[in-house]
Amino acid sequence: MKKVEIYTDGACRGNPGPGGWGAVLVYGNREKELSGGEENTTNNRMELTAAIEALSALKEPCEVTLTSDSTYLVNAIREGWLAAWRDRAFHKVKNPDLWMKLDPLLLKHEVTFVWVKGHDGHPYNERCDRLATAAADALRPAPTAPDTMETDKANKTEKTDGEVRG
């Protein structure tokens, strides 16, 4: 069975708001980046989506070490929450659609979850964060052009009698 390392992260601009996810898959000396986003989502949904998309990209059953900064994701597996949620048909569980997509992927692959502190210099976590935030930022609405008065205030200029003073 092939051994693959997966690193994932999710990001959201507002919660809910435009969100993105990023993943890096490492097999031997080969690496593959994945990313995407949604216009109106939550950070937790993006964390789950990153794991789902990364595991779905594997073409055959693999032994996977999946590293994430999401305690929501990691603890759901390590603490047995997912199994309990499955037993009660995901009743009163947030994001049941995503947990139901992740569950069979965890049966297909042998996955070990590892938690890493986010924004703490872990190279792959930082890389996934850049992928996720770029995907989220790409979905943000374009800023509207401010009127002249706002522009002048933003530039801290003052107009009096035809003169401009900064």
Side-chain angles (χ1 to χ4, degrees), residues 13-146:
R13 301 299 193 199
N15 203 18
W21 58 268
V24 178
L25 289 74
V26 181
Y27 174 66
N29 62 356
R30 296 184 353 206
E31 297 183 353
K32 181 175 185 171
E33 291 183 345
L34 304 171
S35 64
E38 295 179 19
E39 288 184 10
N40 189 29
T41 189
T42 65
N43 190 71
N44 281 341
R45 287 188 66 81
M46 292 294 91
E47 296 283 0
L48 286 170
T49 300
I52 292 165
E53 294 295 334
L55 290 168
S56 295
L58 300 175
K59 295 179 172 133
E60 62 188 75
C62 296
E63 184 179 328
V64 176
T65 301
L66 193 150
T67 302
S68 172
D69 63 6
S70 170
T71 56
Y72 177 62
L73 171 62
V74 173
N75 287 345
I77 308 307
R78 291 165 98 188
E79 303 295 326
W81 304 344
L82 179 57
W85 296 337
R86 182 187 326 109
D87 290 346
R88 62 177 203 244
F90 298 93
H91 183 67
K92 294 188 178 181
V93 173
K94 290 185 179 180
N95 307 308
D97 57 324
L98 296 177
W99 289 114
M100 286 189 273
K101 286 181 183 177
L102 180 61
D103 197 29
L105 294 168
L106 299 179
L107 298 174
K108 178 180 178 181
H109 306 287
E110 294 178 19
V111 185
T112 301
F113 282 80
V114 175
W115 179 80
V116 63
K117 184 176 180 182
H119 310 285
D120 200 39
H122 186 286
Y124 282 108
N125 180 255
E126 298 292 338
R127 188 167 156 190
C128 290
D129 181 66
R130 286 190 298 274
L131 290 168
T133 55
D137 288 344
L139 294 170
R140 288 175 110 170
T144 57

